[in-house]
Amino acid sequence: MNIGRSSGILLHPTSLPGSEGIGSLGTEAFDFVDFLVETHQRVWQVLPLGPTGYGDSPYQCFSAFAGNPLLINLEKLATEGSLCTEDLRLEPAPSLDQVDYGSVIPRKQILLRKAFEALRRSADVEQIRRFEAYCGRNSSWLEDFALFMAAKELHGGIEWTRWDPSVAARHPDALAKLRRELALDVDFHKYCQYQFFKQWEAVKTYANARAIKIIGDVPIFVAHDSADVWSNREMFDLASDGSPRVQAGVPPDYFSASGQLWGNPLYRWEDMARGGFDWWVERIRAALSQVDMIRLDHFRGFEAYYEVDGKAVTAAKGRWVKGPGAALFDRLEEKFGRIPAIAENLGVITPAVEELRTRFGLPGMAILQFAFGTDPQGPDFRPHNYPRDRVVYTGTHDNDTIVGWWTSADAGSSTRALADVEREREFALKYLAADGKEIHWAFIRAALASVAQLAIIPLQDVLGLGSEARMNTPNRPSGNWRWRFKPGAISSGIRARLSELTALYDR
């Protein structure tokens, strides 16, 4: 991946401002691109764009291929005539600084259904042609996904292993009957995907025309309760009842003394290899059609992954198992050439993981917030040790904000002792030649000044926000992914300062 010396901002679209209770692909998304252009940024990084399931997490999606209908901008549907102005005033009034998923989800569902009904009643021939063409181009995943979502609603939202056994097991007669009975609901979910990707393509086209690249996120694992697993059981290591025989996680680490238990099913990599890794080929093809570059989440799992018993309640006990390694990436290069990707090489990183990363020309990540403490990768995360082939972040979606990390009165969500925290902060002040005031700008300056080819700053750090703006706390099952920035939060002073530093360090 070579985009030259540059910088960008990490912001998930759900965090955009707006009147719909959640960020969307409307005017605010285009305004954000304009902000990137104004401040000389070259990159907008987002989290996975799929339809969120458990815990509203973009890392637990109902599909690895689909888009999140919650991001569809309703005002655009009103402009197209599918909704009217009065529809957009449907109560309850949305929150401006937090996503209240409990109110946003039913509100959007009602209005999207109304827009779909309007299309059915009054669409002209050209509108129908475009919709059907989209469905045809994406039938390889869209048919199963739309049926999965319709069946999930029929079963009251419960996970697929608890559905009618014949449907859960995908008996052909049961699926044919379901498609007939749920045809309208299936078409509704296809319509939502059609609208999402139409709006997303408009945002991406606008960004690309202004020399802004978009980095997307490809999690290594998929959610168990997903169309991917339901329609491809043979690819996953499942028990006879469809539940995960083993599950993904990571051993005890900075964030948790008992490890992180993710619950995702693990792949049958040998079976995938015999099939030419076709599912992964299609997954990467879909990702590269949506974004310009990708971040391969939990890259180390491709070399070796941490396997935990499917019935375990913590990740304290598990084992490392060899992953597909170079065979998968050889196949992907055969299909796509050198993939424009970043390897998220955080955690327990071995020489074998680094050999795999460098063999395929994938830049690794450095987290500046981890540079000053006892993290084993700490020395590698200090700017004087960076190679140019690196992507530096002040922090990620899993970190506290820089200001929150700096001002917290305790060890927060990490396993650090308070004495470790104090030593960490003292070292950071010395290293950054800072006085502790505006600590976020000291971190931003260090990231931008480094030799790393790409520097990414979460918008929360640009705004100097505290822990209230944290996006995710690993191992916390709820209350994450809610933060939104308020209209007008990116002041002229912030814009000028970011622009100045970006230019100063030749980004």
Side-chain angles (χ1 to χ4, degrees):
M1 186 191 76
N2 183 16
I3 60 171
R5 182 174 172 82
S6 53
S7 61
I9 302 295
L10 169 61
L11 180 82
H12 197 48
T14 58
S15 296
L16 289 164
S19 61
E20 298 184 6
I22 187 171
S24 72
L25 304 177
T27 301
E28 290 77 15
F30 294 86
D31 290 344
F32 185 71
V33 172
D34 291 340
F35 154 71
L36 296 175
V37 174
E38 177 188 345
T39 56
H40 310 300
Q41 306 309 303
R42 299 269 302 282
V43 166
W44 179 4
Q45 182 168 338
V46 300
L47 305 182
L49 294 167
T52 53
Y54 177 74
D56 307 305
S57 169
Y59 294 90
Q60 294 287 345
C61 289
F62 291 132
S63 169
F65 295 83
N68 189 349
L70 296 179
L71 291 173
I72 296 172
N73 182 257
L74 299 175
E75 291 182 356
K76 285 192 173 184
L77 299 187
T79 301
E80 295 172 1
S82 300
L83 295 173
C84 58
T85 306
E86 290 72 22
D87 293 326
L88 304 184
R89 299 196 182 102
L90 183 67
E91 295 297 333
S95 166
L96 293 178
D97 59 355
Q98 292 280 319
V99 180
D100 179 3
Y101 287 97
S103 64
V104 166
I105 292 173
R107 178 178 186 268
K108 280 232 165 177
Q109 282 287 319
I110 290 170
L111 294 176
L112 288 172
R113 287 271 182 185
K114 191 166 186 176
F116 170 64
E117 289 299 328
L119 176 72
R120 290 183 62 236
R121 287 193 310 269
S122 59
D124 59 34
V125 174
E126 181 58 23
Q127 286 176 310
I128 294 173
R129 186 198 66 78
R130 288 196 296 266
F131 173 58
E132 291 180 344
Y134 165 80
C135 293
R137 289 194 304 272
N138 295 278
S139 60
S140 61
W141 63 267
L142 184 60
E143 293 294 334
D144 280 325
F145 168 73
L147 184 61
F148 173 85
M149 295 303 296
K152 191 170 183 63
E153 290 171 352
L154 177 69
H155 290 88
I158 60 176
E159 60 185 338
W160 64 267
T161 51
R162 296 165 59 200
W163 294 355
D164 177 282
S166 63
V167 176
R170 292 178 58 85
H171 292 163
D173 290 345
L175 293 188
K177 181 173 182 287
L178 203 64
R179 286 192 180 95
R180 289 194 302 271
E181 295 175 349
L182 301 180
L184 197 60
D185 294 317
V186 168
D187 279 349
F188 165 69
H189 288 290
K190 291 179 180 179
Y191 166 80
C192 289
Q193 292 306 302
Y194 168 66
Q195 288 292 354
F196 170 85
F197 282 109
K198 184 169 70 170
Q199 292 191 4
W200 175 250
E201 180 61 27
V203 172
K204 181 177 180 294
T205 298
Y206 186 84
N208 290 167
R210 288 152 183 80
I212 301 296
K213 301 285 189 182
I214 296 180
I215 298 178
D217 203 309
V218 176
I220 182 174
F221 300 120
V222 299
H224 175 254
D225 190 21
S226 68
D228 307 298
V229 179
W230 176 65
S231 60
N232 299 282
R233 285 179 62 159
E234 72 283 355
M235 296 194 320
F236 297 90
D237 196 346
L238 306 177
S240 59
D241 64 355
S243 63
R245 187 187 69 82
V246 287
Q247 57 182 313
V250 289
D253 61 7
Y254 173 95
F255 291 110
S256 174
S258 60
Q260 297 178 46
L261 192 64
W262 296 336
N264 307 82
L266 296 170
Y267 299 105
R268 296 184 184 274
W269 282 115
E270 290 184 359
D271 291 342
M272 282 188 154
R274 282 192 289 271
F277 298 107
D278 285 350
W279 184 84
W280 271 96
V281 167
E282 292 310 308
R283 189 180 183 192
I284 297 301
R285 189 192 311 278
L288 292 176
S289 72
Q290 298 168 20
V291 297
D292 301 297
M293 299 174 282
I294 57 176
R295 187 190 83 118
L296 294 170
D297 184 60
H298 196 59
F299 175 80
R300 72 101 55 247
F302 292 109
E303 194 284 321
Y305 54 89
Y306 192 65
E307 177 185 281
V308 184
D309 184 83
K311 293 182 170 56
V313 294
T314 77
K317 293 183 179 180
R319 66 182 187 127
W320 290 100
V321 181
K322 279 293 182 183
L328 171 62
F329 291 94
D330 281 335
R331 174 63 170 158
L332 295 176
E333 282 205 348
E334 176 187 320
K335 299 297 290 186
F336 305 110
R338 187 55 58 96
I339 298 172
I342 299 166
E344 188 260 289
N345 58 333
L346 308 178
V348 183
I349 303 303
T350 64
V353 176
E354 286 298 274
E355 191 279 331
L356 181 67
R357 181 183 66 78
T358 56
R359 173 174 169 176
F360 292 95
L362 303 173
M365 292 171 54
I367 312 303
L368 195 52
Q369 194 177 124
F370 290 157
F372 310 110
T374 57
D375 187 281
Q377 289 180 283
D380 293 334
F381 291 164
R382 293 167 199 156
H384 67 271
N385 288 325
Y386 293 171
R388 293 187 185 277
D389 187 23
R390 186 68 78 239
V391 182
V392 56
Y393 296 75
T394 53
T396 73
H397 60 276
D398 283 335
N399 291 101
D400 201 346
T401 66
I402 293 299
V403 170
W405 167 80
W406 186 257
T407 60
S408 61
D410 55 34
S413 63
S414 80
T415 56
R416 300 169 300 167
L418 287 176
D420 292 332
V421 174
E422 291 305 317
R423 284 193 293 269
E424 191 173 352
R425 289 172 178 164
E426 182 179 353
F427 181 25
L429 287 178
K430 289 181 180 178
Y431 188 94
L432 299 171
D435 59 7
K437 299 175 183 177
E438 296 189 314
I439 190 66
H440 57 297
W441 283 113
F443 270 72
I444 291 170
R445 179 185 286 271
L448 294 176
S450 75
V451 299
Q453 66 165 312
L454 179 59
I456 301 288
I457 315 298
L459 185 65
Q460 295 97 313
D461 289 343
V462 175
L463 299 179
L465 299 177
S467 297
E468 74 284 353
R470 183 170 185 167
M471 196 62 168
N472 180 51
T473 301
N475 238 23
R476 187 176 72 176
S478 62
N480 296 313
W481 318 109
R482 297 166 62 92
W483 176 74
R484 302 176 70 199
F485 75 92
K486 295 179 181 178
I490 311 177
S491 67
S492 59
I494 289 173
R495 293 167 187 261
R497 194 163 186 179
L498 179 60
S499 180
E500 179 184 34
L501 287 176
T502 305
L504 179 65
Y505 293 114
D506 297 322
R507 293 283 176 185

